[in-house]
Amino acid sequence: MQKKSKLTVVLLTRNRNALAAMALKSLATQSFSEFKLVVSNNSDDDSFESIARNTCAHLLDFSYIKRNPCLSSEDHFKQVLKEIDSEYFMLFHDDDIARLDFISTLISFIAQHPETAAVACNGVINNDGRVSRKGMFYSNREAVLISSAEDLILRYFSLDGHGCAPFPSYMYRSQVIPIFLGLKHVLGKHSDFLWLTSLFNVGNIVWLPEKLIEYRVHSLSDSAQESLKDRLSILGFLKKNYPITVDRYRFIFHLSITARYYRNTLLKNLYLSKSAVKYFIAKQFVKELLAGSITSWLLYKLRHSLQK
């Protein structure tokens, strides 16, 4: 009798056979193989089945599921969660690539740290085949501990440019499934952000420094598209649940507009030096500070620093 796998890895795919084939191959050839691999095909047709079965023919624990009829992104996600019966799980995108020790590194960490609800790793950007060397977040070669939703939010909207772990790199404990399924708020393309902020009742989040995933950026990727509705949804969510972050979000948006204005208008039209442009941007920062629009955020960061 086959031993039940402790880990389920689900490849979610929709109408991207060529990219999905590369993603699936990267999962099927991992250095760690004691997991259940599931392809959940939400495509308009079933042409990916033969590719999937041929790629995974050597695996002992593999299953292929065609969603018929096709589901919305949210319903697809929830249906996959309902079918998971293992201790840990991962939801992998059909356009990313897992490096050889991706799964072994994550499961080794989460199995040894029961206080961790989810663990993720660093990654690199694969822009239409051009792979960057720089990691997606800065860690100084050390694991990053995130112990609260507020801490996670501030990292997402950080001015320091340190970045975040890619969402497809997360491995979760199955205890978070009821929490995910019970969420009512819808944030569109930012739903992953909502899911992550909700799991701290189970445990903390840890980001490992190893670059073990290639996060694809291309014309068809979800990350390349964002509607005004998506942006307003996440702002409404932050204002209602984490008001301390709203001023910071407003300030970052305003500063980016200001910086773009000074760079494009002053530098090009008035032929000012770059140092002069930096002066104008700094002046605008002080103006915002004196106006009090980010005072609450700065006070929060000061208190947060003193507590460390």
Side-chain angles (χ1 to χ4, degrees), residues 92-105:
F92 201 75
H93 293 178
D94 62 358
D95 55 351
D96 299 319
I97 298 175
R99 292 182 170 176
L100 185 63
D101 295 325
F102 173 60
I103 293 178
S104 64
T105 302

Side-chain angles (χ1 to χ4, degrees), residues 119-137:
V119 59
C121 66
N122 212 337
V124 294
I125 298 292
N126 183 327
N127 194 339
D128 284 327
R130 298 186 299 275
V131 181
S132 69
R133 300 175 67 178
K134 182 181 178 182
M136 294 181 68
F137 69 87

Side-chain angles (χ1 to χ4, degrees), residues 11 14 17 70 126 168 175 184 193 203 207 212 216 253 296:
L11 176 71
R14 177 170 172 79
N17 284 7
C70 297
N126 183 327
Q175 288 94 322
K184 303 300 182 182
F193 179 77
W207 294 347
L212 300 174
R216 284 187 181 271
F253 178 77
S296 59

Side-chain angles (χ1 to χ4, degrees), residues 132-151:
S132 69
R133 300 175 67 178
K134 182 181 178 182
M136 294 181 68
F137 69 87
Y138 176 77
S139 66
N140 196 27
R141 299 182 181 180
E142 297 180 352
V144 177
L145 173 65
I146 303 171
S147 56
S148 69
E150 290 81 2
D151 189 14

Side-chain angles (χ1 to χ4, degrees), residues 63-230:
S63 63
Y64 173 89
I65 303 172
K66 175 65 178 75
R67 305 298 174 183
N68 194 10
C70 297
L71 305 172
S72 67
S73 296
E74 183 180 359
D75 289 341
H76 187 200
F77 173 80
K78 288 185 175 181
Q79 184 58 41
V80 165
L81 290 179
K82 292 175 182 177
E83 296 167 351
I84 291 172
D85 61 355
S86 54
E87 187 174 353
Y88 314 110
F89 71 94
M90 302 185 73
L91 304 175
F92 201 75
H93 293 178
D94 62 358
D95 55 351
D96 299 319
I97 298 175
R99 292 182 170 176
L100 185 63
D101 295 325
F102 173 60
I103 293 178
S104 64
T105 302
L106 294 174
I107 196 167
S108 176
F109 183 91
I110 199 169
Q112 296 176 38
H113 296 82
E115 73 283 1
T116 300
V119 59
C121 66
N122 212 337
V124 294
I125 298 292
N126 183 327
N127 194 339
D128 284 327
R130 298 186 299 275
V131 181
S132 69
R133 300 175 67 178
K134 182 181 178 182
M136 294 181 68
F137 69 87
Y138 176 77
S139 66
N140 196 27
R141 299 182 181 180
E142 297 180 352
V144 177
L145 173 65
I146 303 171
S147 56
S148 69
E150 290 81 2
D151 189 14
L152 180 69
I153 291 168
L154 290 176
R155 289 180 183 276
Y156 265 81
F157 298 107
S158 175
L159 284 171
D160 55 25
H162 283 180
C164 298
F167 185 64
S169 74
Y170 276 84
M171 180 180 291
Y172 309 88
R173 292 187 183 277
S174 59
Q175 288 94 322
V176 306
I177 291 178
I179 298 174
F180 287 171
L181 290 176
L183 293 175
K184 303 300 182 182
H185 203 108
V186 178
L187 294 183
K189 78 176 296 290
H190 296 294
S191 293
D192 54 349
F193 179 77
L194 171 63
W195 301 329
L196 293 176
T197 58
S198 70
L199 55 73
F200 288 96
N201 286 335
V202 175
N204 57 42
I205 290 177
V206 175
W207 294 347
L208 302 181
E210 292 86 349
K211 303 170 188 174
L212 300 174
I213 183 174
E214 293 183 18
Y215 185 85
R216 284 187 181 271
V217 177
H218 52 90
S219 59
L220 298 178
S221 63
D222 295 335
S223 58
Q225 306 169 24
E226 182 185 27
S227 67
L228 178 59
K229 181 180 178 181
D230 292 332

